Every structure is written in C-alpha cells, then in structure tokens.
Amino acid sequence: GASHLFLSGLETKDGVLTLTLNRPEVLNALTGAMLRGLAEAVTRAGRDKSVRMIVLAAAGRAFSAGADLGDVKERQALGAFEHGAELRK
C-alpha cells in the first residue's frame, strides 16, 4: 500500500529482511503512515518462518530526523493524532 512507498528492499535474503527508510529528501522523517507500514512489515516478518533477522536501514545521509512534524501538525488539526498509536496496534 501507500504506506510502503517509503520502504525499499522488502525482500528476504538468507533469512535477513532489510527494510530501508527511503525519504532522504527529508532525512527520512517518519510519518504516521511510515510507522504503520513499519509495524505491518515487522508483524508480517514475525509470522514468516524464513525471516530470522530484520535490518532497518536508511537511504541518504541521515538515518532519521525523527517525527515528520508537518505530518504530526496535519493529523493534530484533523483530531487524528495520538502519540504512539501507530505502534500500539
């Protein structure tokens, strides 16, 4: 889905699943959709017996700037922001 557009390398090789954050233009700042996508990918990997290890990497010069504050502000304005909600599901 759209939440996975930020990820590249969604493949397993020799039991290692590499998930790469791919928003280098904003230093891989995390949106709610990205967090949901990561949670979904990790959940699926946990059910996949061929995955023994997950590596989380990032494209560009920074691993992650943290939360995408523009996304947070947008979701707060819509009343759709609850800190950490994407990770508790």
Side-chain angles (χ1 to χ4, degrees):
S3 62
H4 296 296
L5 294 176
F6 71 94
L7 288 173
S8 59
L10 286 167
E11 56 192 50
T12 304
K13 182 176 181 188
D14 298 327
V16 179
L17 172 64
T18 301
L19 303 172
T20 303
L21 301 177
N22 196 13
R23 290 184 73 210
E25 69 283 359
V26 291
L27 303 178
N28 298 306
L30 297 166
T31 65
M34 290 173 72
L35 290 171
R36 284 189 299 278
L38 275 172
E40 290 168 12
V42 169
T43 298
R44 274 196 312 275
R47 294 180 183 135
D48 184 342
K49 300 223 183 286
S50 71
V51 176
R52 296 184 336 229
M53 179 189 322
I54 300 171
V55 174
L56 183 58
R61 64 185 176 95
F63 177 73
S64 177
D68 182 326
L69 297 180
D71 178 67
V72 170
K73 186 176 178 182
E74 237 177 70
R75 291 187 297 139
Q76 282 177 329
L78 296 171
F81 179 78
E82 181 186 344
H83 184 73
E86 290 86 0
L87 301 177
R88 286 194 293 271
K89 293 181 181 178

